[in-house]
Amino acid sequence: MIRRPAVVAVTLGGTLGGALLVAGAMGTFAPGTRKLAPAPDPTTTVLFNAPAVHNPRPTQAAPAQRQRVDCRKQKCVALTFDDGPVMDTSKVLDMLKAKNARATFFVLGMQAAQYPDILKRAAAQGNEIGNHTFSHAKLQGAPAATVQTEVGRTQRIIRELTGKWPTLLRPTYGSTDKQLDGICKQHKLSEVLWSVDTVDWRDRDTKKITDRVVTQTQPGSIVILHDVKPTTVAAVPEILNKLTQKGFTFVTVSEIYGGQLKPGEKYPAFLGSPQAGLAPPGA
């Protein structure tokens, strides 16, 4: 009896690349897994140009569990990191894990595609993953098709890597308009600004960055940082230590608003707002 050789079909499609099916006597690699499915008949043939198969729910490690935080009773702060992930994001994740702290990472789609394992780890640790466009294009005043591509492409990448659709978008440069409000509503995204600006993109000074966060943070603050800047990454340990000493709990953006965010709305309502999320009475 002559065994027919296996036939390989590679289909391209999807956000991060195509599904790969290998059929033959040894079995089939199912898309989205690293395990062999039951071996097919040796004569099985998989045709070229077969449609890509997508795993509807990528399997990821469950987020780390902790007690629910009520920011109406506790002093909460939401640290947010923009423009990653990059290799240094792993250092930030180590620091957060050591303090049992959570943060929100507003990622670029092109970076998420380049560092998928780091993004998966961030999500698995219980951090929140938000959309920051695909290539850091300015959305305010851009053609609607450009905005849809920048937002939608990144939505799909994050969904494919983490198994969850993002519900938060940080507009590049903090600039928004009515068109963006409408597109965010279509994608069920709330727009997240900030109330503490470290200006770390300009001032590459670890001490200045630390001092700004520590002195300006109050209960309910949303702090903007950039994990792509080494001087910012170097500031994270002292920020965590000093705010912990002041009694702060480090939460995600959704936690600091008690999960009551509406798509197409801005939080806080404007840049420079002294108050962002929930805070204990009299804080």
Side-chain angles (χ1 to χ4, degrees):
M1 172 178 170
I2 300 175
R3 297 173 65 89
R4 298 183 183 178
V7 179
V8 177
V10 179
T11 64
L12 298 178
T15 305
L16 296 180
L20 174 64
L21 296 102
V22 181
M26 293 302 294
T28 302
F29 276 102
T33 75
R34 295 181 180 275
K35 297 181 179 180
L36 280 170
D41 185 290
T43 62
T44 298
T45 300
V46 181
L47 298 178
F48 286 93
N49 298 321
V53 179
H54 297 280
N55 186 342
R57 186 78 177 182
T59 302
Q60 302 297 337
Q65 297 298 314
R66 71 172 181 182
Q67 290 185 337
R68 182 182 177 187
V69 177
D70 187 345
C71 294
R72 294 169 296 186
K73 299 177 180 179
Q74 297 173 248
K75 292 169 63 176
C76 295
V77 57
L79 301 182
T80 65
F81 295 90
D82 288 15
D83 298 351
V86 293
M87 290 301 295
D88 271 358
T89 304
S90 293
K91 296 179 183 179
V92 175
L93 293 174
D94 290 340
M95 298 166 193
L96 293 172
K97 184 177 181 180
K99 289 289 185 179
N100 193 29
R102 290 183 179 176
T104 302
F105 291 85
F106 288 101
V107 303
L108 299 178
M110 65 181 188
Q111 292 300 117
Q114 187 173 355
Y115 297 100
D117 290 341
I118 295 177
L119 184 73
K120 291 176 184 178
R121 181 192 168 192
Q125 282 186 202
N127 300 292
E128 189 163 24
I129 309 300
N131 188 327
H132 196 41
T133 76
F134 183 81
S135 65
H136 209 278
K138 187 174 181 179
L139 302 181
Q140 182 187 43
T146 298
V147 177
Q148 286 283 10
T149 298
E150 287 282 332
V151 173
R153 191 175 181 187
T154 302
Q155 286 290 94
R156 293 188 292 274
I157 290 173
I158 296 172
R159 167 65 173 81
E160 189 165 336
L161 290 173
T162 69
K164 293 179 64 177
W165 291 107
T167 60
L168 307 178
L169 175 132
R170 172 159 283 161
T172 46
Y173 313 104
S175 301
T176 69
D177 54 23
K178 289 185 177 180
Q179 174 180 263
L180 180 58
D181 294 345
I183 290 174
C184 282
K185 194 169 184 179
Q186 291 174 19
H187 288 276
K188 299 181 180 180
L189 289 164
S190 303
E191 299 169 61
V192 179
L193 304 177
W194 55 87
S195 59
V196 175
D197 191 351
T198 60
V199 203
D200 60 340
W201 55 270
R202 183 191 69 195
D203 297 334
R204 314 294 174 84
D205 185 310
T206 296
K207 186 177 185 304
K208 282 185 178 180
I209 295 165
T210 302
D211 290 346
R212 283 175 185 150
V213 175
V214 174
T215 59
Q216 296 179 34
T217 294
Q218 58 184 309
S221 288
I222 297 176
V223 181
I224 182 173
L225 297 155
H226 294 80
D227 48 328
V228 297
K229 307 298 182 187
T231 45
T232 297
V233 174
V236 173
E238 197 67 5
I239 289 171
L240 292 172
N241 287 335
K242 289 189 173 181
L243 290 183
T244 297
Q245 291 168 8
K246 295 177 77 170
F248 280 94
T249 299
F250 301 94
V251 299
T252 66
V253 169
S254 289
E255 286 178 319
I256 212 167
Y257 281 102
Q260 303 300 311
L261 297 169
K262 296 180 180 179
E265 300 290 330
K266 290 179 278 294
Y267 299 88
F270 58 93
L271 282 178
S273 170
Q275 184 63 37
L278 302 175

